[in-house]
Amino acid sequence: MGIVVNLDFGLDPVFSWYVVLLCISGVVMVGMAAVKTADQSAGSRALSALAGLAFLGYGIYLGFIFDGGSYMMFFQAFILPALLVFNFIRAVVAKPTTKSFSS
């Protein structure tokens, strides 16, 4: 018995692409959480990690465990990865500011 994968781009391309995008988004968000930048807060990194694990987990569930029936498709959920990627890029390219101390 081999590994059963629920991806069939010929039969149901919307579902298959949804699963692929969930997994890609999850991996990207976990990767962003792993990279520490000067301007990225611990809360932002934690949010990226939690959301990434949730996306990746749901993608793996739909791709490998799901037996059929109904499933939830959250297209609005892809707004969060876009915002987190934007915030991450902003934190990476932000110029470090020098703090002056006046006496």
Side-chain angles (χ1 to χ4, degrees):
M1 180 174 180
I3 297 175
V4 178
V5 180
N6 293 329
L7 301 179
D8 186 356
F9 290 95
L11 180 63
D12 192 358
V14 173
F15 175 79
S16 299
W17 278 113
Y18 182 63
V19 171
V20 169
L21 290 174
L22 278 173
C23 291
I24 289 172
S25 295
V27 168
V28 167
M29 286 190 290
V30 169
M32 289 186 319
V35 176
K36 183 174 170 87
T37 62
D39 198 32
Q40 194 178 19
S41 69
S44 176
R45 291 177 64 207
L47 178 64
S48 291
L50 288 175
L53 290 173
F55 275 57
L56 187 59
Y58 192 53
I60 289 171
Y61 167 75
L62 288 177
F64 295 99
I65 300 169
F66 183 64
D67 287 340
S70 63
Y71 59 93
M72 300 292 289
M73 188 174 286
F74 302 103
F75 284 114
Q76 299 88 351
F78 289 109
I79 294 170
L80 179 64
L83 291 174
L84 291 174
V85 167
F86 175 75
N87 188 40
F88 177 77
I89 292 171
R90 183 187 55 79
V92 169
V93 299
K95 294 180 182 177
T97 59
T98 58
K99 295 182 180 180
S100 62
F101 296 97
S102 57
S103 37

